[in-house]
Amino acid sequence: MMGLARKTLRYEWRRYLPAAMAVAFSALLILVQAALVLGVFAGASVYVTASAGELWVGFPGTQSVDMGRPIPAVAELQARLDPAVARVEPLYWGEGDWRGTQTRGGVSVYLSGIDPAAAGLAFARVLSPAQRAALLEPGAVIVDQADLDKLGATVGTQAEINGRHVRVVGAVAGLRALGGINVLVSMATARTLDPATGAAPSYLLLKLADPVQAAAVAQRLQPGTANPRYAVWPREEFAARAVRFWLFDTGAGLAFVFGALLVALVGTVVTSQSLMGAVSGNLREYATLRALGVSHAALRRVVLEQALWVGCGGLVLAAGIGAVLLAIAAAAAVPVAIDLPGAVVVGALVLLVALGSGLAAMRTLRRADPIELLR
């Protein structure tokens, strides 16, 4: 009976082609929506994911990096005294008003004052040693290349931040953040552009001698007082904390989540109805087999195999089209991101819907009178 499913698909492929196209459309819809949600809100943790180091030290209760507040000097002292900590690097956080040379008005930007040393931890995954060295120039700034047009700037041009002259010495990919434009400067330049950042750093980035011990060192560095003045998070935990905040604690995040669920629902309905229609088209043939004594269990296996093959064919088509669309989006600086686990979840969801649709169609056959179907 299992060979019957493949033979039916081979000789009646025109009947099942619309169902396979519907599966591909639904999978593509869900895949692209998931990539957009993951890509957009990954920007909330770009400060963490683009940096090296295993631990972050910040103000207690900080939900997102842009909410950082100055932390006391004792936090840095405790970190430097711990033998497991190999490097301690301050990160200064500030805000500014960008005025470009073109008539674009003011643009609010986020200032990240980092250590420009070649071994610096902040944004180590997006900055080369040469780019970090360029920040040693007073007033030098680096921005994301996708934000150049918004800032009305190009590499080498001058602008103003908070009324002070700056020069764009570089543009890189991977700095775009959720809710604002990132501008990287040296710690000395940050104090000049936003004097409020000079009092104390907003964060400390810690590199450990043994990264495996990150959780234990974080627990050891946590202040034991009733009202702590700083907190320590492992890198992955702090990044996930920022993404969760933007996804579930802001209006924009909830709107995106609702939209993603709605897209998944629409894709599920389209897939289900198309497959049920394709399978139901063979009910007369199934009724004939049932009248000849074929059991419901055997027919169910045939239908499930048909649904599985149709679902897999649609997924292959969706994967090819999706790869092209995501590549085009990435080239156009659209924030999209999808990893293998996410793609597997989307594929599993679509296949489950396909199998469920086949079983739903079988219910019609089970409840119907074979004699009526054969008329």
Side-chain angles (χ1 to χ4, degrees):
M1 295 299 292
M2 297 301 287
L4 177 62
R6 292 187 290 272
K7 289 180 180 179
T8 303
L9 291 174
R10 182 186 306 169
Y11 292 106
E12 298 189 34
W13 61 270
R14 291 179 180 84
R15 173 180 292 176
Y16 290 92
L17 181 59
M21 296 296 293
V23 171
F25 172 76
S26 302
L28 185 63
L29 198 64
I30 299 173
L31 179 68
V32 171
Q33 183 67 24
L36 283 172
V37 171
L38 293 175
V40 168
F41 289 95
S45 62
V46 66
Y47 312 94
V48 183
T49 57
S51 301
E54 290 73 38
L55 299 178
W56 278 64
V57 182
F59 196 82
T62 300
Q63 298 295 313
S64 181
V65 179
D66 58 302
M67 298 180 177
R69 298 172 59 182
I71 55 177
V74 66
E76 182 174 355
L77 177 62
Q78 292 295 329
R80 293 188 182 278
L81 289 176
D82 194 296
V85 178
R87 181 180 176 86
V88 179
E89 182 177 309
L91 173 64
Y92 289 84
W93 176 266
E95 298 181 356
D97 180 64
W98 177 286
R99 300 276 178 171
T101 56
Q102 302 181 17
T103 57
R104 293 182 179 271
V107 179
S108 296
V109 297
Y110 294 144
L111 301 175
S112 295
I114 66 174
D115 186 347
L121 301 177
F123 298 97
R125 291 180 168 83
V126 295
L127 294 179
S128 66
Q131 290 168 331
R132 302 184 78 91
L135 291 178
L136 291 170
E137 174 188 330
V141 303
I142 293 177
V143 299
D144 192 283
Q145 58 190 17
D147 292 327
L148 286 173
D149 185 64
K150 187 183 299 184
L151 295 172
T154 59
V155 176
T157 60
Q158 295 188 352
E160 290 185 357
I161 297 180
N162 294 338
R164 298 183 179 274
H165 289 285
V166 297
R167 190 172 76 89
V168 181
V169 297
V172 298
L175 292 181
R176 298 189 81 178
L178 188 63
I181 297 176
N182 278 332
V183 176
L184 303 188
V185 298
S186 67
M187 292 184 289
T189 300
R191 299 187 189 100
T192 302
L193 298 178
D194 187 5
T197 65
S202 301
Y203 299 98
L204 296 175
L205 281 66
L206 309 184
K207 182 176 180 59
L208 305 182
D210 183 8
V212 178
Q213 302 298 321
V217 177
Q219 183 65 30
R220 186 165 65 242
L221 291 177
Q222 296 287 359
T225 59
N227 297 306
R229 300 169 61 192
Y230 64 91
V232 185
W233 304 279
R235 175 175 172 269
E236 294 78 8
E237 178 184 333
F238 193 41
R241 186 186 185 97
V243 173
R244 285 196 303 268
F245 170 78
W246 280 95
L247 265 178
F248 303 113
D249 293 339
T250 64
L254 291 175
F256 260 90
V257 171
F258 177 78
L261 293 176
L262 185 61
V263 166
L265 177 61
V266 170
T268 300
V269 171
V270 170
T271 301
S272 175
Q273 293 301 313
S274 299
L275 274 171
M276 286 181 63
V279 174
S280 297
N282 283 332
L283 285 182
R284 183 180 298 273
E285 289 78 4
Y286 296 147
T288 302
L289 294 174
R290 185 72 185 96
L292 293 174
V294 177
S295 67
H296 275 292
L299 289 179
R300 183 166 54 249
R301 288 194 294 270
V302 172
V303 171
L304 289 179
E305 185 183 359
Q306 287 178 337
L308 185 61
W309 280 110
V310 171
C312 290
L315 286 178
V316 170
L317 184 60
I321 299 175
V324 174
L325 291 179
L326 293 180
I328 294 174
V334 177
V336 290
I338 190 73
D339 52 9
L340 182 59
V344 170
V345 169
V346 172
L349 173 63
V350 174
L351 286 181
L352 285 176
V353 172
L355 295 176
S357 301
L359 291 176
M362 282 299 299
R363 291 174 57 190
T364 304
L365 177 62
R366 179 184 291 275
R367 294 176 180 178
D369 183 358
I371 302 301
E372 293 295 329
L373 291 175
L374 291 173
R375 288 181 178 178

